[in-house]
């Protein structure tokens, strides 16, 4: 069965600092992996996705993620955060073929000015 | 461009009353459609998905039902609301054979009193 673990419920960083949000998944095959962002009282927006190819994928607003198969991880990174990046970030995994998409519990990012 | 619209934006309903939430997708033919439920500050639980008109698969039984009466419409409903139904309901669509890349609506907030 598929599952996603985001070990950090809340991450606080200073504006301009680098960021890493952790995500580990469980799936025996080749997964589709996603990062979404949710701003208060809004739906989720896709940041980036990975299925194959270059394990480092670029997303919107300077975000990137790296797929490390040996570690079953798909961590999200950003070189320099802005206060507007404050939001909840969700990692998700899908097998691609069965219309089931599993989300982690989310990580709330707080960017201090 | 595809747009997804959910209605109503928010509702306050009494326990035992009926509920109907709607979702319409424009600009995309034959999308896969999904309903998710999110507790306040919580993770997303997939409730239903549909790959074609008239066909809905249940993922989690929460005393809710879903229907797809038209290609671009997905309805979530119940005849009797429970307190536990409170939360944020998100509709999403994906393109077939896209690895389940989801695009979400803005959500409907439900408070059951």
């Amino acid at each position: 069965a598929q599952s996603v673990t985001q070990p950090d419920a809340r991450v606080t960083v200073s504006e301009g600092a680098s960021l890493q949000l952790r995500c580990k998944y469980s799936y025996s095959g080749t997964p589709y992996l996603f990062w979404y962002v949710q701003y208060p009282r809004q739906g989720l927006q896709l940041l980036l996705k990975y299925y194959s190819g270059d394990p480092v994928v670029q997303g919107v607003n300077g975000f990137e993620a790296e797929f490390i198969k040996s570690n079953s991880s798909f961590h999200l990174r950003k070189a320099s955060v802005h206060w507007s990046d404050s939001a909840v970030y969700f990692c998700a995994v899908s097998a691609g073929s069965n219309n089931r998409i599993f989300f982690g519990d989310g990580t709330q990012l707080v960017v201090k000015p | 461009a595809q747009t997804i619209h959910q209605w109503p934006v928010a509702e306050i309903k009494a326990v035992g009353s009926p509920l109907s939430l709607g979702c319409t997708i424009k600009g995309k033919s034959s999308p896969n459609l999904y309903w998710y439920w999110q507790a306040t500050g919580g993770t997303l639980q997939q409730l239903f998905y549909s790959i074609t008109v008239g066909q809905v698969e249940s993922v989690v039984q929460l005393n809710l039902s879903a229907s797809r009466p038209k290609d671009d419409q997905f309805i979530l409903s119940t005849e009797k609301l429970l307190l536990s139904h409170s939360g944020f309901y998100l509709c999403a669509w994906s393109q077939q054979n896209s690895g389940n890349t989801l695009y979400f609506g803005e959500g409907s907030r439900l408070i059951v009193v």
Side-chain angles (χ1 to χ4, degrees):
Chain A
Q2 300 138 286
S3 67
V4 178
T5 301
Q6 293 181 247
D8 305 309
R10 183 181 173 106
V11 170
T12 301
V13 297
S14 297
E15 191 167 24
S18 62
L19 168 73
Q20 177 172 278
L21 301 182
R22 297 184 291 165
C23 171
K24 297 202 72 172
Y25 67 91
S26 174
Y27 179 60
S28 56
T30 302
Y32 288 82
L33 295 163
F34 310 88
W35 275 99
Y36 287 87
V37 61
Q38 185 179 32
Y39 297 100
R41 296 173 295 282
Q42 294 186 23
L44 279 72
Q45 299 172 33
L46 179 69
L47 280 177
L48 49 78
K49 65 178 180 180
Y50 172 81
Y51 176 64
S52 64
D54 188 339
V56 178
V57 291
Q58 304 297 321
V60 298
N61 296 332
F63 286 95
E64 66 174 29
E66 183 174 8
F67 169 61
I68 303 179
K69 186 174 183 178
S70 60
N71 197 33
S72 298
S73 68
F74 190 55
H75 301 333
L76 182 70
R77 304 189 296 234
K78 187 170 184 179
S80 176
V81 296
H82 186 264
W83 64 267
S84 60
D85 292 326
S86 295
V88 180
Y89 292 79
F90 290 94
C91 181
V93 63
S94 168
S97 58
N98 61 3
N99 297 105
R100 295 295 312 275
I101 308 95
F102 296 86
F103 285 81
D105 289 340
T107 297
Q108 182 171 7
L109 173 66
V110 176
V111 180
K112 298 187 301 182
Chain B
Q2 299 85 11
T3 60
I4 178 168
H5 173 61
Q6 287 189 241
W7 76 92
V9 173
E11 280 227 83
I12 299 175
K13 303 277 283 187
V15 170
S17 64
L19 172 75
S20 182
L21 301 178
C23 173
T24 298
I25 293 83
K26 295 300 183 186
K28 185 66 189 174
S29 62
S30 304
N32 295 330
L33 297 176
Y34 308 79
W35 278 112
Y36 278 83
W37 174 77
Q38 185 180 32
T40 301
T43 192
L44 288 91
Q45 174 65 64
Q46 189 173 351
L47 301 176
F48 300 93
Y49 68 88
S50 171
I51 63 172
T52 192
V53 173
Q55 183 176 332
V56 176
E57 300 296 330
S58 173
V59 176
V60 173
Q61 289 288 343
L62 292 179
N63 293 305
L64 296 167
S65 61
S67 64
R68 187 170 178 176
K70 297 191 287 185
D71 185 55
D72 64 352
Q73 195 173 80
F74 207 19
I75 306 296
L76 184 71
S77 61
T78 183
E79 293 186 359
K80 288 188 177 181
L81 279 166
L82 307 173
L83 285 174
S84 58
H85 285 138
S86 292
F88 198 44
Y89 288 84
L90 290 156
C91 181
W93 71 271
S94 74
Q95 183 171 310
Q96 299 201 16
N97 302 315
S98 70
N100 296 328
T101 304
L102 298 178
Y103 299 92
F104 286 85
E106 290 299 303
S108 294
R109 184 162 303 281
L110 173 66
I111 298 173
V112 182
V113 297

